[in-house]
Amino acid sequence: MSDIVDLLVNYLDGQETAKHIETCLTTLIQKTLQDPHYRQVIQQGSRKEFWICFSPVIKKMIEKDCLVNLIKFARNIVAGDLNNQQLALQYGALKSIQNRLEIEAYDQTMDNSLLLQVSTQAICNMITNHSTAIDVVWQEWMLNGSIWSDILSKNNDNLITSVLVLMINCIRGNKQRCDLMIENGNGRKILGLIVDDLERLHSNEESKSFELGYTIFNEMFLFGYFKQLYTLFKDNSSVLSTRQTILFKLLDSKIHTYKDTLPTFINHRDLEFLCEQFELIAKETVRVILNVKGSSSEDLQVEQVSNVYTAIILLFQILNELLILEAKGLKQSLAHINVISLTLDILGHLRTINLPPAQADHPELGFNFLKRECVRMIGAMCHEDKKIQDEIRELGGIPLILEQFKIDDSNPYLREYATLALRNIMKDNIENQEVIRELEPQEVLQTDELNRMGITPELLKDGKIRIKKTEL
């Protein structure tokens, strides 16, 4: 360790070249990575002198390759070592790296991505598991600094990953730091940029940055910040912003990690808020459906329907899942917003719209899965609930459910969910059973599938169906 100290001292005195230091550091860096005992050996050396030299060298050095190596070395020797962390903090190493980071982040003359990445990693290693240090720097970053939001704005996945790791290490399991993040402008800007990054990476959920961003919002959800985040990401120019839609995706994923267990982080106020948003977005969904009614697939604008379509599907999935898990008070909150009327309204308008075929790339163009989720909601709400069973009948919902007994490529398992819903509608309800009994067949449809099979169905006077072979 004394050798590197001598080199740094000589560099400060103008008696050593950066190139020679860079070469020596390359060897030392390899040792810190390959030899698990090396860090213990250097603890017995002149660590204090190293850190005393470190900050002025970081400030003075203009040779970027050598600077990267020096910060890498510091990053490695503080990793998981509280004593080394303490010395680095005591002699201003973190502050000197951060100051250099801020300078390099705004240098547009060259690509400094590697230097920024290594500097971020070094700062992360210096404070990880050092609660007092994190408290100090986190408050500074949230109140006074914009460096992390500026770095997150750069289009470099490795660099973004380093910042996200730092963020997670700071907020994990700490409500106070999450409070600071959501209550201050710098923190809110960081959260917004992370959401934007998740949107960019949504097609690659195996990306490390996607996983890390998801983890950050998981922490926020666990401390009950969904409503605040949703409000924060509101766009006054539209009913629903892209950022809000991403939040629904993250919440849906988080809820499904609980599998058959009711999520503990969702309270009654959250349920009421989700129901309020469902009411707003369900009404907007009907408006969107009416706007595209009769349009061809070429006329539909994906951007106009994508957010609303995605949000209503996710809300249906979230609320249906929570209904199955018997979230306390949810059914009453849904009844309060007239969820049956809203859902039947959507289902009825889907019946009359000229939908294009199911499209894997743009499911919103065919409102894929929406009928299925509507039927699931109706079936779950009326389960052993005569009042809601009666409401479905009074609103004309029984024929609508019967119309869903068909194979629909845009709505997998629609027929199965319709079967379950109809069972729940009729169970112990004589009036609903009578409605079913009195229904008569009105017509049979000649579908493309029947044409290909060469058969034609014919409705007889007694309500029975006769199959005839199509004449060629």
Side-chain angles (χ1 to χ4, degrees):
M1 188 68 172
S2 57
D3 290 340
I4 188 63
V5 172
D6 290 342
L7 290 174
L8 295 180
V9 170
N10 290 337
Y11 177 82
L12 290 172
D13 292 339
Q15 299 175 14
E16 185 58 81
T17 65
K19 189 65 179 176
H20 183 218
I21 296 175
E22 179 189 343
T23 302
C24 294
L25 284 169
T26 299
T27 302
L28 292 175
I29 290 167
Q30 290 302 314
K31 280 190 175 183
T32 62
L33 294 173
Q34 297 171 0
D35 185 352
H37 303 294
Y38 182 67
R39 292 180 204 171
Q40 297 176 2
V41 172
I42 62 174
Q43 285 178 18
Q44 301 171 15
S46 306
R47 293 188 304 158
K48 176 180 176 180
E49 286 73 17
F50 170 76
W51 294 113
I52 289 173
C53 295
F54 181 84
S55 293
V57 171
I58 290 294
K59 183 178 181 180
K60 176 182 178 180
M61 187 169 285
I62 60 174
E63 296 84 0
K64 298 298 174 66
D65 290 340
C66 185
L67 189 60
V68 167
N69 270 6
L70 180 58
I71 296 175
K72 275 186 181 180
F73 181 68
R75 175 198 67 186
N76 292 357
I77 63 175
V78 298
D81 190 309
L82 188 59
N83 290 328
N84 281 0
Q85 287 177 334
Q86 194 63 46
L87 279 170
L89 295 170
Q90 180 181 347
Y91 290 99
L94 186 149
K95 190 64 178 177
S96 64
I97 293 176
Q98 184 175 322
N99 289 341
R100 190 63 189 256
L101 184 70
E102 291 172 351
I103 293 171
E104 300 296 336
Y106 303 115
D107 184 356
Q108 305 297 324
T109 61
M110 61 185 302
D111 181 10
N112 291 329
S113 297
L114 180 58
L115 178 55
L116 298 179
Q117 179 185 342
V118 171
S119 298
T120 302
Q121 292 168 344
I123 290 173
C124 184
N125 285 359
M126 286 178 182
I127 63 175
T128 296
N129 297 324
H130 196 304
S131 183
T132 302
I134 296 176
D135 285 340
V136 172
V137 297
W138 190 252
Q139 184 165 2
E140 177 190 339
W141 293 338
M142 293 302 104
L143 297 179
N144 304 314
S146 61
I147 182 62
W148 303 121
S149 56
D150 293 335
I151 291 178
L152 283 170
S153 300
K154 296 181 179 293
N155 187 23
N156 183 293
D157 283 348
N158 290 331
L159 182 53
I160 290 172
T161 294
S162 298
V163 175
L164 295 180
V165 170
L166 174 61
M167 297 291 110
I168 291 171
N169 286 343
C170 288
I171 69 169
R172 191 189 297 275
N174 192 294
K175 186 177 186 303
Q176 183 179 5
R177 294 179 201 138
C178 288
D179 285 342
L180 277 171
M181 192 172 200
I182 202 166
E183 290 172 359
N184 291 280
N186 288 326
R188 292 194 292 266
K189 187 175 182 181
I190 288 170
L191 289 167
L193 289 166
I194 294 172
V195 169
D196 294 342
D197 196 51
L198 290 172
E199 168 65 6
R200 179 177 65 86
L201 295 168
H202 79 280
S203 60
N204 181 19
E205 296 189 6
E206 294 182 359
S207 162
K208 192 168 184 180
S209 290
F210 184 93
E211 180 183 343
L212 293 169
Y214 173 76
T215 301
I216 288 172
F217 279 93
N218 273 352
E219 289 294 313
M220 304 301 289
F221 292 162
L222 287 173
F223 288 118
Y225 290 113
F226 175 80
K227 181 178 179 180
Q228 285 176 263
L229 288 166
Y230 190 86
T231 304
L232 170 65
F233 294 147
K234 180 176 176 57
D235 180 354
N236 292 326
S237 65
S238 61
V239 172
L240 189 72
S241 71
T242 298
R243 287 180 173 181
Q244 288 176 319
T245 305
I246 296 297
L247 273 187
F248 281 134
K249 290 181 181 179
L250 297 173
L251 181 63
D252 181 54
S253 297
K254 179 63 177 175
I255 288 172
H256 279 85
T257 63
Y258 283 76
K259 297 183 179 178
D260 298 327
T261 306
L262 186 66
T264 55
F265 66 91
I266 294 183
N267 57 40
H268 183 65
R269 285 178 297 177
D270 292 325
L271 294 176
E272 288 184 335
F273 181 73
L274 287 172
C275 291
E276 291 168 4
Q277 300 315 305
F278 178 87
E279 181 180 14
L280 291 172
I281 295 170
K283 291 176 179 177
E284 183 67 10
T285 299
V286 171
R287 189 190 69 79
V288 169
I289 292 173
L290 290 174
N291 282 347
V292 300
K293 187 175 180 179
S295 300
S296 66
S297 58
E298 290 80 9
D299 295 330
L300 295 178
Q301 297 297 316
V302 176
E303 294 77 13
Q304 294 176 357
V305 300
S306 181
N307 282 344
V308 172
Y309 161 78
T310 302
I312 195 63
I313 290 292
L314 289 167
L315 273 170
F316 265 124
Q317 290 179 175
I318 290 168
L319 294 171
N320 281 331
E321 183 69 19
L322 293 175
L323 275 173
I324 292 171
L325 296 174
E326 299 181 346
K328 187 177 180 180
L330 175 58
K331 195 169 185 179
Q332 291 80 357
S333 295
L334 286 169
H336 180 71
I337 64 165
N338 299 313
V339 70
I340 295 299
S341 177
L342 289 168
T343 304
L344 288 174
D345 201 18
I346 293 173
L347 196 56
H349 283 97
L350 286 173
R351 175 179 57 179
T352 59
I353 194 171
N354 179 25
L355 295 176
Q359 299 182 42
D361 293 338
H362 297 298
E364 65 273 17
L365 293 182
F367 295 93
N368 294 10
F369 319 117
L370 189 49
K371 287 183 181 180
R372 181 189 70 189
E373 294 305 319
C374 287
V375 172
R376 283 186 68 195
M377 173 66 76
I378 292 168
M381 284 294 294
C382 71
H383 177 62
E384 297 185 354
D385 191 316
K386 188 174 186 305
K387 183 178 179 181
I388 295 180
Q389 288 175 332
D390 292 342
E391 182 183 3
I392 293 169
R393 180 186 70 251
E394 292 162 3
L395 291 172
I398 293 177
L400 266 178
I401 296 298
L402 290 172
E403 289 179 15
Q404 313 311 316
F405 279 80
K406 56 187 176 183
I407 296 174
D408 184 340
D409 292 338
S410 299
N411 292 273
Y413 304 107
L414 175 62
R415 184 167 56 180
E416 288 77 5
Y417 281 116
T419 301
L420 180 60
L422 188 62
R423 172 191 175 277
N424 290 347
I425 289 170
M426 293 193 301
K427 185 178 180 183
D428 300 326
N429 191 306
I430 296 173
E431 294 91 340
N432 286 357
Q433 293 170 12
E434 189 63 28
V435 169
I436 300 292
R437 192 175 297 112
E438 292 176 354
L439 289 174
E440 295 181 357
Q442 301 296 314
E443 63 176 330
V444 292
L445 297 178
Q446 181 69 24
T447 65
D448 292 338
E449 289 80 3
L450 293 175
N451 285 332
R452 286 194 292 269
M453 295 168 65
I455 58 176
T456 301
E458 180 182 357
L459 179 63
L460 303 179
K461 291 182 179 180
D462 60 2
K464 295 181 179 180
I465 304 293
R466 180 171 64 187
I467 302 298
K468 298 193 305 182
K469 190 172 181 62
T470 303
E471 295 182 5
L472 299 177

